[in-house]
Amino acid sequence: MLSPQAIEKIDYELTKYPADQRQAAVMSALRIVQTERGWLSKESISEVAQYLSMPEIAALEVASFYNMYDLSPVGKYKITVCTNISCMLRDSDEIVSHLQTKLGVGFNEVTADGKFCLKEGECMGACGGAPLMTVNNHAMHEFLTPEKVDEILEALK
Amino acid sequence: MATKIKNLDTTKPVMTDLKGQTLVCLRTLTEENPASLATYIKLGGYSALKRIVTEKTKATDIITEVKDSVLRGRGGAGFPTGLKWSFMPRYFDGTKYLVCNTDEGEPGTFKDRDIIRYNPHQLIEGMAIAAYTLGAHVGYNYIHGEIWQDYETFEAALHEAKAAGYLGENLFGTNFCFNLYAVHGYGAYICGEETALIESIEGKKGQPRFKPPFPASYGVFGKPTNVNNTESYTSIPWIMQHGGAAFAELGVPNSGGTKLFSVSGHVEKPGNYEVKMGMPFSELLEMVGGVWKGRKLKAVIPGGPSTAVLPAATIMAATMDYDGLSKVRSSLGAGSLIMMDETTCMVKALHRLSYFFYEESCGQCTPCREGTGWVYRIITRIVNGQGKMEDLDLLTDVSNNISGRTICALGEAAATPVLSFIKHFRPEFEYYIQHGKSMVEPQ
């Protein structure tokens, strides 16, 4: 069951589209449900599809096509580091290895306590602030140094 | 002109020195709260829209003005904006749509982000003028999912504009209505392609459509749709305030106006710089503080990885405009300069770019889906010291067989770095294959 809060947010997104185009809100609806539940299970996707009167497979297609949706658990905090060229040139490799050592996990792994998951991201469109990473998709941290990464992780504990 | 911006979150980047810049799209940056409606109005914002709507300026006159401005599409293709507008059907029984492409995902491109977070109202006004001109009553700004905080800034600006009577129904007491909404991507480079973006707005996976039909006849929900880049729309209010000729004069022939350059990589002061079209590259390099750590410039990708990489000597002699870069066999693209110093291993740089295109190919066309994977795997084997000399010809062959054989331009975009890196830096690739290690990196 979608929560009343999620439904309220999805209903707001629906106001952006013609009444006969409910499916258009699926990008937002999946984002809203993922933010609330941490990741998108088959059941979550199915609930979204039902609410938007669209085939379940069409919602799954969207959820699996865009890489900020997570179809498996990602722990409490998903850290996505950009390693694309502009970040690479400003030593994102150092940030990645620092995070891997610090958290004791590789890409796409979750720490034993279920707190952190590390992901490799593609270009986030903020290359002036390279190297950078996002936490749970929506908080971006730029001009990273190993020290700054430590501060960010500390604040997440 | 102020040299630093106050009252901005210092944890955010891009507070570049404004000296030497010519601010059109980022003109609010001289003020304390650049994104606010009050700031924009203080600078004459929304006056062009109000005049056009209340005086009922003819759509054809506006299109003529935009044509005179020599504004060309800022998303990378450089198609004349005025001409694009003239493709929209004048009469259509039903809703026509206006779409803004703020889905910057090509590495090195981050200019539109600064528009939506520092000058959102100018984009809104530009879209409203376009909507009036093209007879569209609904608009969407599709924003890259990763810059979430900026999406929220823009959506807040939309509410502010609506409350102040610049968006919504019966604007300025006329029968002109325009509702504009923010929508978002969620991690797919391909959605920067306009028909993939339209699919995404409709709630589908972002796979490009066959063209024709073009969006002007079959766009969002199958209705006539005009799609422009953020910076293109944002230039419109200035053009309508000062005239198309004045905008054209800011630049050089065939490249009107100013251009936002996103500068990233090995420079002292990365960030966005808005300058007049036609600025010599060497001047721009000076403006961004030069190459970092006192090193020498080796190579520059001038417009994002879908444009050909250039050796330092070549680009140092070039000017930053459409013709200036096509003369040196590259292109302006979105104005995304990726600067590489002398320590950069070109093999590894290409390796990373090839992974990006492999990862982001939408999978619809076989040459791109398979070809980008082959390219990535061949370069991986070179990087792992298992390359063969014939791999270089193989890479060229595979890339040539992706290019031009796909529905959208991603195929060509994927081929361009491979072909240009090998063309300009072949000895470095040969060294890597022969020795199993990089020519430039310390071992």
Side-chain angles (χ1 to χ4, degrees):
Chain A
M1 280 275 285
L2 297 175
S3 71
Q5 295 86 343
I7 286 177
E8 194 187 329
K9 286 179 185 161
I10 296 170
D11 285 349
Y12 165 70
E13 297 299 329
L14 281 166
T15 63
K16 300 176 178 178
Y17 309 101
D20 60 348
Q21 300 287 349
R22 291 177 69 84
Q23 172 171 349
V26 70
M27 296 282 290
S28 302
L30 290 170
R31 183 250 311 159
I32 289 161
V33 172
Q34 174 169 292
T35 305
E36 192 180 273
R37 300 181 182 176
W39 64 289
L40 293 171
S41 64
K42 279 264 161 65
E43 292 69 34
S44 296
I45 294 168
S46 156
E47 287 166 31
V48 167
Q50 253 172 24
Y51 190 69
L52 298 177
S53 324
M54 65 191 281
E56 212 173 303
I57 184 71
L60 179 61
E61 263 187 4
V62 169
S64 57
F65 185 84
Y66 299 89
N67 64 28
M68 288 166 74
Y69 298 115
D70 297 302
L71 305 190
S72 58
V74 288
K76 193 171 173 193
Y77 300 110
K78 178 180 75 162
I79 295 176
T80 313
V81 193
C82 178
T83 58
N84 214 309
I85 186 136
S86 297
C87 285
M88 181 184 113
L89 293 171
R90 294 189 84 94
D91 222 355
S92 56
D93 284 359
E94 187 192 9
I95 302 303
V96 170
S97 60
H98 183 74
L99 275 163
Q100 289 182 335
T101 313
K102 188 100 183 174
L103 301 176
V105 291
F107 281 132
N108 301 315
E109 290 173 2
V110 183
T111 55
D113 61 3
K115 200 165 246 174
F116 294 102
C117 176
L118 193 59
K119 295 254 179 189
E120 184 174 27
E122 283 306 334
C123 186
M124 301 185 182
C127 326
L132 52 90
M133 66 186 200
T134 55
V135 177
N136 288 344
N137 287 339
H138 296 168
M140 184 178 282
H141 300 277
E142 298 167 84
F143 299 109
L144 295 177
T145 58
E147 297 71 40
K148 196 167 168 189
V149 167
D150 287 347
E151 280 171 35
I152 295 162
L153 293 181
E154 197 55 43
L156 294 177
K157 279 182 179 170
Chain B
M1 190 176 280
T3 52
K4 289 278 172 192
I5 312 307
K6 293 171 201 163
N7 278 4
L8 279 166
D9 184 352
T10 50
T11 61
K12 289 186 174 182
V14 296
M15 264 17 305
T16 56
D17 193 333
L18 298 179
K19 209 172 128 219
Q21 298 195 44
T22 304
L23 302 177
V24 169
C25 291
L26 292 180
R27 60 179 159 167
T28 51
L29 275 189
T30 53
E31 305 298 311
E32 292 221 344
N33 292 301
S36 79
L37 177 64
T39 299
Y40 187 56
I41 287 176
K42 187 179 134 197
L43 300 183
Y46 289 111
S47 61
L49 175 68
K50 187 176 177 184
R51 176 174 51 81
I52 287 165
V53 174
T54 52
E55 292 177 5
K56 303 199 189 310
T57 308
K58 274 197 208 147
T60 46
D61 292 348
I62 299 171
I63 291 178
T64 303
E65 206 69 57
V66 175
K67 282 182 179 168
D68 288 347
S69 75
V70 203
L71 171 65
R72 294 172 59 175
R74 299 295 196 237
F79 193 81
T81 306
L83 188 59
K84 194 183 225 181
W85 285 14
S86 67
F87 294 157
M88 275 287 272
R90 195 77 56 80
Y91 304 102
F92 178 78
D93 193 19
T95 309
K96 289 190 268 185
Y97 289 93
L98 199 70
V99 168
C100 176
N101 183 345
T102 311
D103 191 32
E104 297 180 293
E106 175 143 331
T109 315
F110 51 94
K111 63 190 181 65
D112 299 335
R113 178 192 189 204
D114 278 6
I115 291 176
I116 63 166
R117 67 174 166 163
Y118 295 137
N119 196 8
H121 287 286
Q122 192 166 326
L123 170 59
I124 296 169
E125 185 183 8
M127 288 191 76
I129 293 171
Y132 169 87
T133 310
L134 303 174
H137 301 301
V138 180
Y140 296 108
N141 183 15
Y142 185 96
I143 298 169
H144 199 50
E146 284 88 341
I147 49 168
W148 188 256
Q149 288 135 316
D150 310 309
Y151 171 86
E152 291 184 330
T153 302
F154 184 75
E155 191 154 55
L158 286 178
H159 292 303
E160 208 181 8
K162 188 162 187 172
Y166 298 116
L167 286 176
E169 313 300 320
N170 301 105
L171 298 176
F172 310 106
T174 70
N175 59 3
F176 172 58
C177 308
F178 181 54
N179 285 295
L180 177 57
Y181 304 104
V183 295
H184 65 81
Y186 225 52
Y189 165 63
I190 190 61
C191 289
E193 198 279 342
E194 62 180 8
T195 59
L197 186 154
I198 288 170
E199 289 282 302
S200 188
I201 290 178
E202 293 181 358
K204 299 167 188 162
K205 54 182 176 172
Q207 291 191 320
R209 296 174 178 172
F210 275 108
K211 289 187 273 190
F214 289 92
S217 48
Y218 191 91
V220 178
F221 308 127
K223 304 285 194 264
T225 301
N226 180 72
V227 188
N228 283 134
N229 168 261
T230 316
E231 190 183 350
S232 306
Y233 281 127
T234 307
S235 301
I236 298 295
W238 197 97
I239 292 169
M240 296 316 296
Q241 250 183 318
H242 303 272
F247 187 81
E249 273 166 30
L250 289 176
V252 290
N254 216 14
S255 301
T258 56
K259 178 81 193 79
L260 268 166
F261 289 103
S262 304
V263 185
S264 67
H266 293 155
V267 291
E268 283 292 341
K269 297 185 283 181
N272 282 310
Y273 294 81
E274 185 170 19
V275 300
K276 290 175 180 174
M277 280 278 195
M279 177 177 268
F281 171 81
S282 54
E283 217 172 289
L284 186 61
L285 180 62
E286 209 170 294
M287 193 181 262
V288 304
V291 182
W292 74 347
K293 301 178 181 176
R295 290 183 189 155
K296 283 200 190 95
L297 186 66
K298 176 176 188 172
V300 177
I301 296 173
S306 64
T307 65
V309 67
L310 293 170
T314 309
I315 196 162
M316 283 302 273
T319 56
M320 300 304 293
D321 56 278
Y322 293 102
D323 293 347
L325 285 161
S326 66
K327 262 185 231 157
V328 291
R329 294 179 183 277
S330 186
S331 49
L332 187 71
S336 325
L337 291 144
I338 302 170
M339 311 281 217
M340 294 176 266
D341 74 19
E342 56 195 322
T343 67
T344 312
C345 172
M346 299 310 274
V347 181
K348 288 190 176 161
L350 181 61
H351 184 236
R352 185 59 187 85
L353 288 174
S354 68
Y355 178 73
F356 169 69
F357 288 109
Y358 164 56
E359 171 73 25
E360 296 296 327
S361 171
C362 81
Q364 190 173 208
C365 310
T366 309
C368 177
R369 182 188 62 239
E370 301 303 320
T372 52
W374 292 346
V375 165
Y376 172 63
R377 287 190 291 275
I378 296 166
I379 304 174
T380 301
R381 103 177 152 213
I382 295 175
V383 167
N384 290 340
Q386 293 153 343
K388 291 173 276 194
M389 213 44 99
E390 55 265 35
D391 282 348
L392 295 181
D393 289 337
L394 185 58
L395 282 170
T396 308
D397 186 48
V398 172
S399 298
N400 281 328
N401 277 297
I402 301 173
S403 195
R405 288 177 164 80
T406 54
I407 290 174
C408 84
L410 192 141
E412 225 174 331
T416 301
V418 181
L419 298 172
S420 62
F421 270 67
I422 293 176
K423 177 181 159 195
H424 292 297
F425 299 95
R426 194 175 180 103
E428 211 174 303
F429 283 82
E430 289 173 348
Y431 182 96
Y432 210 123
I433 291 169
Q434 274 166 352
H435 299 85
K437 60 180 183 181
S438 172
M439 193 163 111
V440 290
E441 284 182 349
Q443 303 303 319

